[in-house]
């Protein structure tokens, strides 16, 4: 449970970095997250090659599932964060005038 909470916190940070870097480019965020998480999965498999724990990750569903779910979660957090940031900016503009 602790690892899941830490992972969600890291996904939140990554999504907010994407909010700062790309405005309203949701497909860019999804594809970028998918590529980066796929590279991470590939790196993990490369590092564990020949170990007994690698048997768990030799399923094609895992190869596609983990990066896809991670990219979807980051994109969902990105959408929520960008809409929240946009609302806050609109409220500031209204209060100034």
């Amino acid at each position: 449970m602790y690892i899941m909470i830490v992972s969600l916190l890291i996904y939140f940070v990554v999504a907010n970095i994407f909010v700062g870097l790309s405005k309203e480019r949701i497909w860019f965020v999804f594809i970028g997250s998918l590529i980066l998480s796929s590279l991470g999965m590939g790196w993990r498999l490369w590092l564990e090659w020949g170990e007994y724990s690698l048997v768990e990750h030799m399923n094609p569903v895992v190869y596609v599932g983990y990066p896809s779910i991670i990219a979807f979660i980051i994109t969902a957090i990105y959408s929520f964060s960008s809409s929240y940031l946009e609302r806050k900016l609109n409220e500031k503009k209204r209060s100034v005038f």
Side-chain angles (χ1 to χ4, degrees):
M1 188 68 151
Y2 175 73
I3 297 296
M4 187 177 88
I5 292 170
V6 170
S7 296
L8 287 175
L9 180 65
I10 291 171
Y11 298 160
F12 179 76
V13 169
V14 169
N16 283 310
I17 289 171
F18 276 125
V19 167
L21 292 176
S22 60
K23 281 193 167 192
E24 299 182 18
R25 296 189 336 185
I26 197 161
W27 284 108
F28 172 75
V29 172
F30 181 76
I31 297 299
S33 300
L34 186 64
I35 289 171
L36 290 175
S37 59
S38 296
L39 286 173
M41 177 63 96
W43 187 34
R44 180 177 179 189
L45 290 172
W46 179 67
L47 289 174
E48 293 180 358
W49 194 256
E51 293 183 16
Y52 180 75
S53 63
L54 184 66
V55 174
E56 175 188 342
H57 302 291
M58 293 304 289
N59 190 348
V61 174
V62 174
Y63 286 144
V64 176
Y66 281 176
S68 300
I69 291 170
I70 290 169
F72 179 73
I73 291 171
I74 289 174
T75 305
I77 295 172
Y78 165 82
S79 297
F80 177 75
S81 295
S82 65
S83 67
Y84 179 76
L85 180 66
E86 194 172 304
R87 274 189 273 143
K88 288 292 257 186
L89 289 175
N90 288 336
E91 287 175 8
K92 274 189 176 180
K93 286 180 184 177
R94 287 182 198 149
S95 66
V96 169
F97 295 114

XYZ file of all heavy atoms in Angstrom:
803
model
N 0.817 -1.186 0.000
C 0.000 0.000 0.000
C 0.869 1.263 0.000
O 0.536 2.231 -0.649
C -0.914 -0.042 1.234
C -1.936 1.024 1.236
S -3.100 0.723 -0.082
C -4.508 1.454 0.587
N 1.975 1.193 0.737
C 2.892 2.330 0.797
C 3.474 2.640 -0.587
O 3.537 3.797 -0.993
C 4.003 2.033 1.806
C 5.071 3.085 1.869
C 4.823 4.306 2.463
C 6.321 2.851 1.318
C 5.804 5.283 2.520
C 7.303 3.813 1.365
C 7.043 5.030 1.967
O 8.003 5.989 2.005
N 3.863 1.614 -1.319
C 4.442 1.800 -2.651
C 3.416 2.412 -3.602
O 3.751 3.259 -4.431
C 4.969 0.457 -3.197
C 6.097 -0.067 -2.323
C 5.424 0.580 -4.635
C 7.330 0.806 -2.289
N 2.163 2.009 -3.489
C 1.118 2.558 -4.355
C 0.907 4.049 -4.083
O 0.755 4.842 -5.020
C -0.193 1.804 -4.155
C -1.263 2.220 -5.142
S -2.755 1.269 -4.967
C -3.593 2.239 -3.738
N 0.920 4.443 -2.829
C 0.744 5.855 -2.483
C 1.919 6.673 -2.992
O 1.738 7.757 -3.548
C 0.562 6.007 -0.962
C -0.779 5.398 -0.550
C 0.627 7.465 -0.539
C -0.974 5.276 0.939
N 3.124 6.159 -2.841
C 4.309 6.859 -3.347
C 4.256 6.957 -4.869
O 4.578 8.003 -5.444
C 5.599 6.160 -2.865
C 6.819 6.721 -3.567
C 5.742 6.282 -1.362
N 3.820 5.891 -5.545
C 3.709 5.905 -7.003
C 2.692 6.946 -7.464
O 2.956 7.703 -8.402
C 3.301 4.538 -7.532
O 4.276 3.594 -7.250
N 1.538 7.010 -6.805
C 0.528 8.005 -7.176
C 1.037 9.427 -6.934
O 0.738 10.332 -7.716
C -0.771 7.762 -6.423
C -1.572 6.555 -6.888
C -2.772 6.350 -5.979
C -2.006 6.708 -8.327
N 1.817 9.620 -5.889
C 2.410 10.935 -5.638
C 3.388 11.309 -6.755
O 3.390 12.440 -7.238
C 3.111 10.947 -4.283
C 3.778 12.253 -3.886
C 2.720 13.336 -3.696
C 4.587 12.068 -2.627
N 4.183 10.354 -7.188
C 5.121 10.607 -8.283
C 4.366 10.883 -9.578
O 4.736 11.774 -10.341
C 6.104 9.429 -8.436
C 7.051 9.391 -7.240
C 6.897 9.536 -9.737
C 7.914 8.162 -7.165
N 3.279 10.135 -9.847
C 2.461 10.391 -11.041
C 1.865 11.793 -10.991
O 1.779 12.479 -12.008
C 1.338 9.364 -11.179
C 1.792 7.937 -11.346
C 0.923 6.900 -11.072
C 3.071 7.615 -11.767
C 1.320 5.585 -11.215
C 3.477 6.309 -11.901
C 2.596 5.301 -11.627
O 2.984 3.998 -11.769
N 1.452 12.244 -9.802
C 0.908 13.587 -9.644
C 1.964 14.639 -9.978
O 1.681 15.621 -10.667
C 0.383 13.769 -8.214
C -0.169 15.128 -7.941
C -1.419 15.484 -8.419
C 0.557 16.054 -7.220
C -1.931 16.737 -8.176
C 0.059 17.311 -6.966
C -1.197 17.651 -7.445
N 3.179 14.430 -9.508
C 4.270 15.372 -9.797
C 4.564 15.402 -11.293
O 4.716 16.474 -11.890
C 5.531 15.007 -8.978
C 6.737 15.793 -9.445
C 5.282 15.221 -7.499
N 4.633 14.233 -11.916
C 4.893 14.170 -13.363
C 3.782 14.862 -14.141
O 4.043 15.616 -15.082
C 5.060 12.700 -13.817
C 5.056 12.588 -15.331
C 6.327 12.119 -13.252
N 2.536 14.636 -13.751
C 1.414 15.272 -14.439
C 1.479 16.786 -14.300
O 1.214 17.522 -15.265
C 0.090 14.754 -13.894
N 1.863 17.287 -13.146
C 1.968 18.728 -12.969
C 3.148 19.323 -13.715
O 3.102 20.480 -14.127
C 2.017 19.083 -11.484
C 0.646 19.000 -10.868
O -0.306 19.552 -11.398
N 0.537 18.283 -9.777
N 4.189 18.542 -13.908
C 5.289 19.000 -14.770
C 4.792 19.139 -16.201
O 5.092 20.116 -16.887
C 6.491 18.035 -14.678
C 7.154 18.166 -13.316
C 7.495 18.298 -15.797
C 8.212 17.122 -13.034
N 3.985 18.160 -16.658
C 3.397 18.254 -17.990
C 2.457 19.456 -18.105
O 2.372 20.074 -19.160
C 2.641 16.978 -18.356
C 3.507 15.888 -18.906
C 3.500 14.635 -18.336
C 4.317 16.114 -20.002
C 4.289 13.616 -18.850
C 5.113 15.112 -20.530
C 5.099 13.861 -19.940
N 1.748 19.809 -17.034
C 0.859 20.977 -17.057
C 1.682 22.227 -17.314
O 1.280 23.103 -18.082
C 0.067 21.107 -15.729
C -0.605 22.460 -15.619
C -0.971 20.008 -15.626
N 2.839 22.311 -16.681
C 3.696 23.477 -16.890
C 4.359 23.512 -18.255
O 4.609 24.580 -18.802
N 4.631 22.359 -18.821
C 5.347 22.308 -20.100
C 4.444 22.371 -21.325
O 4.850 22.908 -22.356
C 6.189 21.027 -20.175
C 7.364 20.932 -19.215
C 8.033 19.580 -19.347
C 8.352 22.048 -19.465
N 3.274 21.804 -21.243
C 2.416 21.743 -22.431
C 0.983 22.081 -22.054
O 0.374 21.406 -21.244
C 2.478 20.352 -23.059
O 2.033 19.389 -22.139
N 0.486 23.129 -22.663
C -0.889 23.536 -22.390
C -1.820 22.947 -23.426
O -1.593 23.077 -24.625
C -1.014 25.059 -22.420
C -0.533 25.721 -21.191
C -0.979 27.151 -21.183
C -0.748 27.698 -19.797
N -1.382 28.962 -19.616
N -2.851 22.276 -22.940
C -3.925 21.739 -23.769
C -3.425 20.833 -24.900
O -3.927 20.866 -26.009
C -4.781 22.864 -24.327
C -5.445 23.684 -23.250
C -6.314 24.765 -23.801
O -6.686 24.703 -24.984
O -6.621 25.689 -23.045
N -2.425 20.033 -24.597
C -1.938 19.036 -25.570
C -2.010 17.666 -24.912
O -1.004 17.066 -24.579
C -0.523 19.371 -26.002
C -0.443 20.678 -26.741
C 0.852 20.999 -27.389
N 2.028 20.364 -26.846
C 3.239 20.630 -27.251
N 3.437 21.526 -28.176
N 4.269 20.013 -26.723
N -3.227 17.197 -24.753
C -3.466 15.978 -23.985
C -2.872 14.743 -24.670
O -2.377 13.841 -24.014
C -4.964 15.810 -23.688
C -5.163 14.798 -22.572
C -5.749 15.442 -24.917
C -6.505 14.883 -21.917
N -2.886 14.720 -26.002
C -2.308 13.563 -26.707
C -0.800 13.526 -26.565
O -0.199 12.459 -26.468
C -2.707 13.568 -28.187
C -4.110 13.131 -28.361
C -5.179 13.917 -28.701
C -4.627 11.822 -28.162
N -6.320 13.170 -28.724
C -6.017 11.873 -28.405
C -4.074 10.608 -27.801
C -6.836 10.759 -28.297
C -4.892 9.501 -27.698
C -6.254 9.586 -27.946
N -0.180 14.696 -26.525
C 1.261 14.766 -26.298
C 1.608 14.201 -24.917
O 2.576 13.455 -24.768
C 1.740 16.214 -26.419
C 3.171 16.406 -26.022
C 4.188 15.997 -26.859
C 3.501 16.996 -24.817
C 5.515 16.170 -26.501
C 4.818 17.173 -24.437
C 5.826 16.755 -25.291
N 0.808 14.554 -23.928
C 1.035 14.054 -22.572
C 0.850 12.545 -22.520
O 1.659 11.828 -21.936
C 0.092 14.769 -21.580
C 0.161 14.129 -20.208
C 0.433 16.237 -21.494
N -0.215 12.039 -23.153
C -0.465 10.605 -23.139
C 0.653 9.836 -23.836
O 1.188 8.862 -23.298
C -1.815 10.282 -23.784
C -2.138 8.822 -23.779
C -2.553 8.209 -22.606
C -2.015 8.052 -24.922
C -2.848 6.855 -22.574
C -2.300 6.697 -24.896
C -2.720 6.102 -23.721
N 1.026 10.272 -25.033
C 2.083 9.579 -25.792
C 3.426 9.696 -25.071
O 4.184 8.721 -24.992
C 2.170 10.136 -27.230
C 0.869 9.880 -27.989
C 3.349 9.549 -27.977
C 0.504 8.415 -28.148
N 3.727 10.872 -24.530
C 4.973 11.041 -23.786
C 5.042 10.147 -22.567
O 6.066 9.520 -22.295
N 3.944 10.075 -21.823
C 3.896 9.200 -20.649
C 4.018 7.737 -21.045
O 4.687 6.956 -20.370
C 2.591 9.405 -19.884
O 2.473 10.714 -19.450
N 3.356 7.375 -22.140
C 3.418 5.992 -22.615
C 4.832 5.612 -23.031
O 5.333 4.534 -22.671
C 2.448 5.796 -23.775
C 2.270 4.383 -24.295
C 1.649 3.507 -23.219
C 1.400 4.383 -25.534
N 5.498 6.490 -23.741
C 6.872 6.208 -24.177
C 7.817 6.105 -22.982
O 8.622 5.174 -22.884
C 7.350 7.280 -25.180
C 6.621 7.110 -26.508
C 8.857 7.216 -25.391
C 6.848 8.233 -27.489
N 7.711 7.067 -22.056
C 8.607 7.046 -20.905
C 8.363 5.837 -19.999
O 9.315 5.219 -19.511
C 8.465 8.344 -20.109
C 9.000 9.593 -20.792
C 8.687 10.832 -19.961
C 10.489 9.477 -21.040
N 7.110 5.474 -19.785
C 6.852 4.303 -18.945
C 7.239 3.007 -19.652
O 7.668 2.048 -19.012
C 5.393 4.262 -18.494
O 4.524 4.213 -19.584
N 7.111 2.975 -20.974
C 7.562 1.800 -21.725
C 9.076 1.658 -21.668
O 9.599 0.546 -21.530
C 7.107 1.896 -23.176
O 5.718 1.882 -23.265
N 9.778 2.780 -21.771
C 11.233 2.730 -21.630
C 11.627 2.263 -20.237
O 12.581 1.487 -20.074
C 11.841 4.110 -21.910
C 11.865 4.547 -23.363
C 12.329 5.990 -23.464
C 12.763 3.642 -24.171
N 10.898 2.718 -19.225
C 11.168 2.268 -17.855
C 10.940 0.784 -17.692
O 11.710 0.091 -17.019
N 9.863 0.280 -18.299
C 9.582 -1.157 -18.230
C 10.665 -1.943 -18.961
O 11.135 -2.980 -18.472
C 8.215 -1.467 -18.842
C 7.877 -2.938 -18.884
S 7.768 -3.694 -17.289
C 6.039 -3.599 -17.031
N 11.092 -1.466 -20.112
C 12.161 -2.129 -20.848
C 13.471 -2.127 -20.085
O 14.201 -3.128 -20.080
N 13.770 -1.011 -19.427
C 14.995 -0.919 -18.641
C 14.948 -1.892 -17.466
O 15.928 -2.560 -17.154
C 15.192 0.510 -18.169
C 16.505 0.760 -17.491
C 17.701 0.173 -17.780
C 16.752 1.660 -16.427
N 18.680 0.665 -16.959
C 18.125 1.585 -16.120
C 15.966 2.538 -15.713
C 18.704 2.345 -15.119
C 16.556 3.299 -14.724
C 17.901 3.197 -14.430
N 13.777 -1.993 -16.829
C 13.632 -2.928 -15.714
C 13.834 -4.367 -16.181
O 14.504 -5.159 -15.522
C 12.261 -2.766 -15.083
C 12.038 -3.680 -13.927
C 10.703 -3.439 -13.300
N 10.524 -4.356 -12.193
C 9.404 -4.518 -11.560
N 8.355 -3.827 -11.915
N 9.300 -5.364 -10.573
N 13.252 -4.717 -17.324
C 13.423 -6.074 -17.854
C 14.879 -6.344 -18.216
O 15.394 -7.438 -18.008
C 12.517 -6.293 -19.065
C 11.032 -6.359 -18.766
C 10.233 -6.384 -20.059
C 10.717 -7.555 -17.910
N 15.543 -5.345 -18.776
C 16.947 -5.503 -19.143
C 17.813 -5.712 -17.901
O 18.723 -6.547 -17.895
C 17.402 -4.273 -19.920
C 18.831 -4.320 -20.331
C 19.400 -5.177 -21.224
C 19.876 -3.476 -19.857
N 20.735 -4.914 -21.337
C 21.048 -3.868 -20.510
C 19.926 -2.429 -18.963
C 22.258 -3.243 -20.284
C 21.128 -1.795 -18.738
C 22.285 -2.219 -19.400
N 17.519 -4.948 -16.831
C 18.307 -5.095 -15.603
C 18.068 -6.429 -14.908
O 18.957 -6.968 -14.260
C 17.992 -3.947 -14.630
C 18.528 -2.582 -15.033
C 18.016 -1.522 -14.065
C 20.040 -2.575 -15.069
N 16.845 -6.961 -15.012
C 16.510 -8.206 -14.329
C 16.682 -9.441 -15.209
O 16.272 -10.527 -14.811
C 15.056 -8.150 -13.829
C 14.826 -7.148 -12.733
C 13.397 -7.127 -12.260
O 12.556 -7.863 -12.814
O 13.104 -6.364 -11.328
N 17.245 -9.283 -16.371
C 17.351 -10.408 -17.289
C 18.115 -11.549 -16.638
O 19.211 -11.395 -16.123
C 18.043 -9.990 -18.575
C 17.860 -11.015 -19.641
C 18.779 -11.909 -20.076
C 16.681 -11.265 -20.390
N 18.258 -12.702 -21.048
C 16.963 -12.333 -21.262
C 15.410 -10.709 -20.402
C 16.014 -12.843 -22.141
C 14.478 -11.201 -21.281
C 14.785 -12.258 -22.141
N 17.530 -12.733 -16.671
C 18.165 -13.910 -16.114
C 17.839 -14.165 -14.659
O 18.240 -15.182 -14.106
N 17.108 -13.266 -14.016
C 16.740 -13.463 -12.618
C 15.403 -14.185 -12.523
O 14.590 -14.154 -13.444
C 16.646 -12.122 -11.889
C 17.980 -11.434 -11.762
C 17.875 -10.148 -10.963
O 16.863 -9.956 -10.264
O 18.798 -9.335 -11.054
N 15.164 -14.782 -11.396
C 13.929 -15.547 -11.191
C 12.708 -14.625 -11.200
O 11.640 -14.995 -11.677
C 13.989 -16.305 -9.865
C 12.751 -17.102 -9.600
C 12.509 -18.289 -10.286
C 11.811 -16.661 -8.679
C 11.360 -19.022 -10.061
C 10.666 -17.391 -8.440
C 10.444 -18.568 -9.136
O 9.311 -19.288 -8.909
N 12.833 -13.394 -10.698
C 11.693 -12.474 -10.639
C 11.242 -12.028 -12.025
O 10.163 -11.467 -12.173
C 12.042 -11.256 -9.787
O 13.101 -10.540 -10.383
N 12.042 -12.270 -13.034
C 11.681 -11.872 -14.390
C 10.518 -12.686 -14.938
O 9.787 -12.227 -15.808
C 12.893 -12.015 -15.318
C 12.730 -11.552 -16.758
C 12.532 -10.043 -16.780
C 13.932 -11.926 -17.573
N 10.295 -13.871 -14.399
C 9.217 -14.739 -14.869
C 7.868 -14.030 -14.751
O 6.994 -14.181 -15.601
C 9.216 -16.067 -14.080
C 8.021 -16.919 -14.439
C 10.504 -16.820 -14.324
N 7.704 -13.220 -13.727
C 6.462 -12.481 -13.522
C 6.192 -11.507 -14.668
O 5.060 -11.259 -15.031
C 6.538 -11.710 -12.204
C 5.353 -10.819 -11.939
C 5.561 -9.942 -10.727
O 6.453 -10.242 -9.903
O 4.835 -8.955 -10.603
N 7.241 -10.961 -15.257
C 7.097 -9.922 -16.274
C 7.206 -10.438 -17.705
O 7.286 -9.644 -18.627
C 8.143 -8.836 -16.050
C 8.057 -8.206 -14.702
N 7.015 -7.396 -14.334
C 8.863 -8.295 -13.617
C 7.188 -6.990 -13.102
N 8.306 -7.529 -12.648
N 7.225 -11.717 -17.906
C 7.363 -12.252 -19.261
C 6.017 -12.378 -19.980
O 5.951 -12.882 -21.080
C 8.051 -13.615 -19.226
C 9.498 -13.540 -18.786
S 10.512 -12.438 -19.779
C 10.607 -13.352 -21.291
N 4.952 -11.898 -19.408
C 3.628 -11.950 -19.999
C 3.408 -10.707 -20.874
O 3.642 -9.590 -20.422
C 2.590 -11.996 -18.870
C 1.213 -12.294 -19.354
O 0.943 -12.254 -20.545
N 0.336 -12.588 -18.416
N 2.957 -10.864 -22.116
C 2.719 -9.696 -22.981
C 1.674 -8.727 -22.427
O 1.735 -7.534 -22.699
C 2.239 -10.304 -24.293
C 2.706 -11.701 -24.284
C 2.783 -12.118 -22.848
N 0.745 -9.248 -21.633
C -0.251 -8.357 -21.022
C 0.436 -7.372 -20.078
O 0.070 -6.199 -20.005
C -1.326 -9.182 -20.280
C -2.284 -8.291 -19.524
C -2.082 -10.070 -21.257
N 1.460 -7.826 -19.379
C 2.206 -6.957 -18.478
C 2.999 -5.933 -19.284
O 3.066 -4.760 -18.915
C 3.140 -7.786 -17.570
C 4.034 -6.898 -16.731
C 2.323 -8.702 -16.688
N 3.593 -6.364 -20.403
C 4.351 -5.433 -21.247
C 3.498 -4.267 -21.719
O 3.958 -3.140 -21.807
C 4.896 -6.142 -22.490
C 6.063 -7.058 -22.249
C 6.181 -8.235 -22.958
C 7.052 -6.741 -21.338
C 7.242 -9.092 -22.769
C 8.114 -7.587 -21.129
C 8.205 -8.760 -21.857
O 9.256 -9.590 -21.655
N 2.250 -4.536 -22.061
C 1.358 -3.511 -22.587
C 0.552 -2.859 -21.469
O 0.305 -1.655 -21.496
C 0.411 -4.128 -23.645
C -0.591 -3.114 -24.131
C 1.212 -4.683 -24.806
N 0.167 -3.635 -20.478
C -0.730 -3.152 -19.436
C -0.136 -2.107 -18.517
O -0.739 -1.055 -18.299
N 1.035 -2.366 -17.952
C 1.636 -1.428 -17.007
C 1.864 -0.052 -17.635
O 1.421 0.946 -17.080
C 2.950 -1.968 -16.457
C 2.824 -3.000 -15.362
C 3.947 -3.618 -14.858
C 1.598 -3.353 -14.825
C 3.852 -4.570 -13.854
C 1.499 -4.312 -13.823
C 2.635 -4.907 -13.347
O 2.536 -5.841 -12.347
N 2.556 0.038 -18.759
C 2.758 1.374 -19.336
C 1.456 2.065 -19.733
O 1.324 3.281 -19.577
C 3.636 1.104 -20.571
C 4.312 -0.174 -20.280
C 3.345 -0.977 -19.481
N 0.487 1.308 -20.226
C -0.787 1.913 -20.631
C -1.544 2.462 -19.431
O -2.085 3.576 -19.485
C -1.660 0.893 -21.354
O -1.012 0.427 -22.500
N -1.594 1.710 -18.356
C -2.299 2.166 -17.161
C -1.601 3.376 -16.558
O -2.250 4.346 -16.154
C -2.414 1.015 -16.144
C -3.375 -0.041 -16.684
C -2.876 1.517 -14.786
C -3.396 -1.324 -15.887
N -0.287 3.344 -16.516
C 0.463 4.481 -15.984
C 0.217 5.724 -16.831
O -0.011 6.816 -16.304
C 1.964 4.148 -15.902
C 2.206 3.112 -14.812
C 2.792 5.398 -15.642
C 3.587 2.524 -14.811
N 0.252 5.581 -18.162
C 0.010 6.727 -19.045
C -1.410 7.254 -18.876
O -1.633 8.474 -18.876
C 0.256 6.332 -20.497
N -2.374 6.369 -18.702
C -3.758 6.796 -18.503
C -3.909 7.556 -17.185
O -4.568 8.597 -17.135
C -4.696 5.588 -18.527
C -6.127 5.950 -18.293
C -6.861 6.590 -19.273
C -6.730 5.670 -17.084
C -8.181 6.942 -19.044
C -8.043 6.010 -16.847
C -8.774 6.656 -17.833
N -3.292 7.076 -16.114
C -3.385 7.747 -14.818
C -2.742 9.123 -14.884
O -3.310 10.121 -14.400
C -2.742 6.885 -13.706
C -3.584 5.637 -13.451
C -2.578 7.683 -12.421
C -2.918 4.636 -12.530
N -1.561 9.223 -15.488
C -0.884 10.516 -15.599
C -1.702 11.475 -16.450
O -1.826 12.663 -16.122
C 0.540 10.334 -16.159
C 1.416 9.665 -15.104
C 1.144 11.670 -16.594
C 2.797 9.306 -15.568
N -2.308 10.988 -17.534
C -3.129 11.842 -18.380
C -4.377 12.314 -17.645
O -4.788 13.471 -17.777
C -3.518 11.106 -19.678
O -2.323 10.649 -20.319
C -4.272 12.008 -20.615
N -4.984 11.449 -16.849
C -6.162 11.842 -16.072
C -5.798 12.903 -15.035
O -6.524 13.903 -14.879
C -6.775 10.622 -15.400
N -4.690 12.730 -14.347
C -4.250 13.733 -13.372
C -3.893 15.031 -14.085
O -4.194 16.124 -13.592
C -3.073 13.204 -12.534
C -3.516 12.030 -11.674
C -2.494 14.299 -11.647
C -2.388 11.320 -10.957
N -3.266 14.934 -15.257
C -2.949 16.117 -16.056
C -4.217 16.883 -16.418
O -4.275 18.113 -16.293
C -2.200 15.714 -17.330
C -2.133 16.794 -18.374
C -1.186 17.791 -18.301
C -3.029 16.816 -19.430
C -1.128 18.798 -19.253
C -2.980 17.803 -20.385
C -2.031 18.783 -20.295
O -1.984 19.770 -21.234
N -5.250 16.174 -16.869
C -6.501 16.827 -17.246
C -7.127 17.546 -16.060
O -7.570 18.690 -16.172
C -7.495 15.810 -17.799
O -7.001 15.232 -18.963
N -7.146 16.869 -14.909
C -7.708 17.478 -13.719
C -6.895 18.693 -13.282
O -7.446 19.753 -12.979
C -7.782 16.450 -12.586
C -8.286 17.023 -11.302
C -9.633 17.309 -11.148
C -7.415 17.285 -10.256
C -10.104 17.846 -9.966
C -7.876 17.821 -9.074
C -9.224 18.111 -8.919
N -5.574 18.568 -13.259
C -4.713 19.665 -12.813
C -4.777 20.855 -13.756
O -4.802 22.003 -13.307
C -3.266 19.191 -12.684
O -3.153 18.233 -11.676
N -4.799 20.604 -15.050
C -4.839 21.721 -15.996
C -6.180 22.446 -15.937
O -6.223 23.670 -16.038
C -4.542 21.244 -17.417
O -5.535 20.375 -17.871
N -7.280 21.717 -15.745
C -8.575 22.390 -15.629
C -8.647 23.177 -14.320
O -9.201 24.282 -14.283
C -9.720 21.391 -15.726
O -9.722 20.536 -14.614
N -8.078 22.655 -13.249
C -8.046 23.362 -11.972
C -7.203 24.627 -12.085
O -7.595 25.694 -11.611
C -7.501 22.451 -10.874
C -7.413 23.109 -9.527
C -8.554 23.319 -8.765
C -6.187 23.521 -9.028
C -8.480 23.925 -7.531
C -6.098 24.131 -7.793
C -7.244 24.334 -7.043
O -7.157 24.941 -5.831
N -6.046 24.525 -12.721
C -5.178 25.679 -12.899
C -5.854 26.735 -13.765
O -5.766 27.931 -13.478
C -3.848 25.249 -13.529
C -2.822 26.348 -13.774
C -2.334 26.913 -12.440
C -1.666 25.814 -14.581
N -6.542 26.305 -14.797
C -7.248 27.232 -15.680
C -8.344 27.979 -14.919
O -8.511 29.185 -15.088
C -7.849 26.463 -16.854
C -8.308 27.335 -17.984
C -8.709 26.488 -19.170
O -7.886 25.690 -19.635
O -9.868 26.632 -19.609
N -9.088 27.274 -14.064
C -10.138 27.919 -13.258
C -9.536 28.936 -12.304
O -10.071 30.026 -12.125
C -10.928 26.881 -12.474
C -12.058 26.294 -13.282
C -12.952 25.435 -12.406
N -12.358 24.093 -12.414
C -12.306 23.269 -11.395
N -12.818 23.610 -10.246
N -11.744 22.097 -11.498
N -8.412 28.587 -11.686
C -7.761 29.516 -10.760
C -7.292 30.774 -11.486
O -7.432 31.876 -10.972
C -6.577 28.842 -10.066
C -6.951 27.820 -9.054
C -7.613 28.461 -7.877
C -6.647 28.530 -6.744
N -7.246 29.013 -5.518
N -6.736 30.607 -12.686
C -6.277 31.767 -13.450
C -7.452 32.648 -13.867
O -7.349 33.874 -13.851
C -5.486 31.313 -14.670
C -4.108 30.724 -14.380
C -3.479 30.200 -15.664
C -3.202 31.740 -13.731
N -8.565 32.047 -14.253
C -9.747 32.822 -14.622
C -10.303 33.584 -13.430
O -10.769 34.716 -13.578
C -10.832 31.914 -15.231
C -10.453 31.453 -16.612
O -9.669 32.098 -17.299
N -11.009 30.323 -17.034
N -10.277 32.983 -12.251
C -10.740 33.672 -11.051
C -9.847 34.859 -10.719
O -10.315 35.910 -10.313
C -10.783 32.711 -9.869
C -11.896 31.708 -9.927
C -11.839 30.706 -8.798
O -11.015 30.876 -7.877
O -12.619 29.732 -8.832
N -8.534 34.704 -10.909
C -7.606 35.818 -10.662
C -7.863 36.958 -11.629
O -7.830 38.126 -11.256
C -6.161 35.342 -10.789
C -5.591 34.761 -9.568
C -4.108 34.536 -9.732
C -3.515 34.043 -8.456
N -2.083 33.804 -8.566
N -8.095 36.632 -12.911
C -8.356 37.666 -13.901
C -9.623 38.435 -13.562
O -9.695 39.634 -13.718
C -8.468 37.051 -15.293
C -7.166 36.622 -15.869
C -7.349 36.014 -17.245
C -6.043 35.489 -17.782
N -6.212 34.832 -19.084
N -10.655 37.728 -13.109
C -11.916 38.386 -12.751
C -11.744 39.282 -11.534
O -12.348 40.340 -11.432
C -13.000 37.336 -12.466
C -13.488 36.683 -13.699
C -14.592 35.693 -13.364
N -14.777 34.769 -14.479
C -15.155 33.549 -14.355
N -15.436 33.032 -13.170
N -15.300 32.773 -15.423
N -10.937 38.853 -10.562
C -10.762 39.651 -9.351
C -9.918 40.894 -9.607
O -10.061 41.892 -8.904
C -10.142 38.803 -8.241
O -8.824 38.427 -8.584
N -9.054 40.854 -10.608
C -8.216 42.018 -10.928
C -9.064 43.109 -11.568
O -8.891 44.292 -11.295
C -7.045 41.616 -11.848
C -6.325 42.830 -12.397
C -6.097 40.709 -11.119
N -9.981 42.721 -12.409
C -10.817 43.707 -13.095
C -11.976 43.994 -12.241
O -12.780 44.537 -12.031
C -11.270 43.194 -14.469
C -10.101 43.012 -15.405
C -9.734 41.761 -15.845
C -9.370 44.092 -15.828
C -8.676 41.586 -16.699
C -8.307 43.928 -16.692
C -7.960 42.673 -17.122
